[in-house]
Amino acid sequence: MTAFDDVIANTTDIADGLVVHPAGDIDFSRSPNLRNELMQLMQNKSPAKLVINLAKVEYMDSSGVATLVEAMQMQSKRKGRLVLCQLQPKVESIFKISRLDMVFTIVNDEQQAVEA
Amino acid sequence: MTMHLEHFEIRLSSDPRHLPVIRATVTAIGHAHGFDGHGCHQLALAVNEALVNVIQHGYGGRPDQLIRLRIEPARRDGREGLCLVIEDDSGPVDLTCIRSRPLDEIRPGGLGVHLIREMMDEVTYSQRDDQAGLRLTMCKYTPTAQTAANKESA
């Protein structure tokens, strides 16, 4: 069950980890919530692989990107992985402009992310 | 209702919850002034990042401080455009501190200024005349026929 102001709409367990589905724009008004939710999931479930499916995120600002960088670094410290998939055009462009598309593992769809 | 304007000014508090409304407003004004969807997105992202910087760095996250946003039509080399001016009351500012982190230094944060400079054609940070805060002036112009054609073929 999710709270009204949750950014992550739902999660799915996979063999070696977890897929999370955030929904809605992720800007400075919502990125602190996303950060809290991701940190809680990583602490509680310690997923070897964390897949973030961004199909339902049409807009993200630099604070949302910063949250994902922090999550990637946390996963890396724990010897885990973070994979992003289904980036929408506006979200993809901010990763490219920040040159973070070369840093994150980004794939087209969730199936590829699960198999990555 | 037409949004084409000579001068548009908003006074808002430094509450992040205003960001979606401001993005939608700037997008509508951008459309009315000849920007395509991509250009409007760039305008909205730049103003979003600028406001976040004011909220975070100028006001230390306090949500009840005043921010002024002024939008004016502009023209350069025969191209129409918009200038957005954002002013705050955050006090004297060291302008040399306003910069992006190096892009090869992978850490959370520090990208706002880089994004603003990428999105806009002209970006100028200055002290307000009364030294009471920061003024950011950023302008963007509609693409020429040639640049639009280059974008199409890219």
Side-chain angles (χ1 to χ4, degrees), chain B residues 48-108:
Chain B
N48 181 98
E49 296 297 332
L51 293 175
V52 168
N53 282 345
V54 171
I55 295 167
Q56 217 174 359
H57 304 298
Y59 290 138
R62 282 171 292 160
D64 56 352
Q65 303 297 300
L66 180 65
I67 303 174
R68 286 171 296 277
L69 166 63
R70 199 168 67 244
I71 306 175
E72 299 166 344
R75 176 179 266 269
R76 188 180 79 178
D77 302 332
R79 296 158 65 196
E80 301 292 334
L82 287 172
C83 284
L84 293 84
V85 182
I86 295 171
E87 291 186 339
D88 64 47
D89 298 330
S90 62
V93 183
D94 179 359
L95 297 175
T96 62
C97 291
I98 302 173
R99 58 179 187 270
S100 172
R101 68 161 164 77
L103 293 184
D104 56 358
E105 189 182 298
I106 307 302
R107 61 175 170 80

Side-chain angles (χ1 to χ4, degrees), chain A residues 30-100:
Chain A
R30 297 183 82 224
S31 57
N33 288 15
L34 176 63
R35 181 183 182 280
N36 290 341
E37 293 165 39
L38 284 175
M39 296 303 148
Q40 209 165 16
L41 283 170
M42 284 191 280
Q43 275 169 13
N44 293 347
K45 299 206 166 195
S46 301
K49 185 194 285 179
L50 177 62
V51 175
I52 303 182
N53 184 333
L54 293 166
K56 291 186 177 166
V57 177
E58 293 211 355
Y59 177 89
M60 185 181 290
D61 71 7
S62 66
S63 72
V65 173
T67 301
L68 297 183
V69 169
E70 191 179 358
M72 179 183 67
Q73 290 180 331
M74 274 196 69
Q75 277 294 88
S76 179
K77 265 186 206 161
R78 300 169 51 253
K79 310 288 181 209
R81 296 182 62 210
L82 186 142
V83 182
L84 305 178
C85 67
Q86 289 198 235
L87 273 62
Q88 302 305 297
K90 288 176 188 171
V91 175
E92 189 176 20
S93 74
I94 196 169
F95 277 85
K96 283 188 174 161
I97 294 162
S98 314
R99 297 191 208 149
L100 289 167

